[in-house]
Amino acid sequence: IAVIEQGRISQLHNYGHRDKANTLDVNDQTMFQAASMSKLAAALLVTEADRNGYLNITDSVSEIASRFPNSTLDKWIDKKFKTATEESYTDDLTLKKLMNHSAGLDTHSIGTQMPGILKTIDGIILGNILDPLNNGVHPMWRPGISYSYSGGGYTVLEHILELETGESFRVFGNRELLDHV
């Protein structure tokens, strides 16, 4: 457990085993995935960006991609929504649906990375031919039909936030969320 105050770790407590079979305890260098804890921050940032006019959560990914030709978002639409049945998906796929997991996308989680393969937004969204476990974020069904958790959908959302604000997720997040705490 790490307690962070004013941007610095003020307390650090280790519990459990990092390798139970060999009874190796967790220590200060043990790495943990942030996993889905970042989704709350992403949703708050997108909501804040909507409130401040950087973006509109009712915009479709098609509308946004048209403003950013040749972006990863634009390439994703071209690559993953090619079939006639999927072509209009992106018109119904809004930021709000990405936020509430009703976008109809797969990629439950982005998982761990294979040794030597650094995950990038492009690689997560579009897929990475060097990583057989990751072939990108795909449509499963029309947006708004059902709820299905999609970590990849949140990666698309974070990419859109970067496109619309012109800043990295980290810079925008620090200024709009963390600097106000």
Side-chain angles (χ1 to χ4, degrees):
I1 297 172
V3 176
I4 300 171
E5 296 178 297
Q6 297 179 345
R8 297 191 183 275
I9 296 174
S10 64
Q11 295 181 51
L12 185 60
H13 305 278
N14 298 309
Y15 301 97
H17 300 288
R18 66 176 186 228
D19 182 341
K20 193 170 184 173
N22 294 310
T23 60
L24 297 174
D25 291 337
V26 170
N27 62 37
D28 291 357
Q29 282 72 48
T30 303
M31 304 262 308
F32 294 93
Q33 285 188 322
S36 291
M37 295 187 317
S38 64
K39 289 186 182 40
L40 173 61
L44 287 169
L45 286 173
V46 170
T47 302
E48 187 68 9
D50 178 71
R51 190 172 71 86
N52 289 321
Y54 289 103
L55 53 79
N56 186 328
I57 63 170
T58 61
D59 280 355
S60 72
V61 296
S62 292
E63 291 174 79
I64 297 164
S66 71
R67 294 194 293 267
F68 299 95
N70 299 314
S71 65
T72 296
L73 181 67
D74 191 43
K75 292 173 187 171
W76 177 64
I77 289 172
D78 287 344
K79 182 177 180 180
K80 303 295 182 175
F81 297 88
K82 285 183 180 177
T83 69
T85 58
E86 296 169 343
E87 198 170 313
S88 66
Y89 279 27
T90 57
D91 293 334
D92 296 331
L93 180 50
T94 63
L95 277 65
K96 187 174 182 179
K97 288 177 182 166
L98 286 167
M99 288 173 68
N100 69 20
H101 298 286
S102 67
L105 301 175
D106 69 351
T107 312
H108 177 73
S109 72
I110 60 171
T112 57
Q113 61 194 47
M114 294 180 64
I117 297 176
L118 180 63
K119 290 205 180 222
T120 63
I121 284 183
D122 286 13
I124 293 165
I125 294 172
L126 299 173
N128 184 338
I129 59 171
L130 300 176
D131 183 353
L133 302 176
N134 174 20
N135 71 12
V137 180
H138 295 276
M140 295 187 310
W141 50 74
R142 291 193 71 73
I145 301 282
S146 181
Y147 292 95
S148 180
Y149 185 87
S150 176
Y154 258 76
T155 303
V156 171
L157 187 66
E158 292 170 11
H159 174 57
I160 290 170
L161 183 70
E162 290 184 339
L163 290 172
E164 294 283 34
T165 64
E167 296 181 294
S168 73
F169 184 79
R170 181 181 190 170
V171 168
F172 185 77
N174 282 337
R175 188 184 72 248
E176 296 296 323
L177 186 62
L178 297 179
D179 289 348
H180 297 290
V181 176

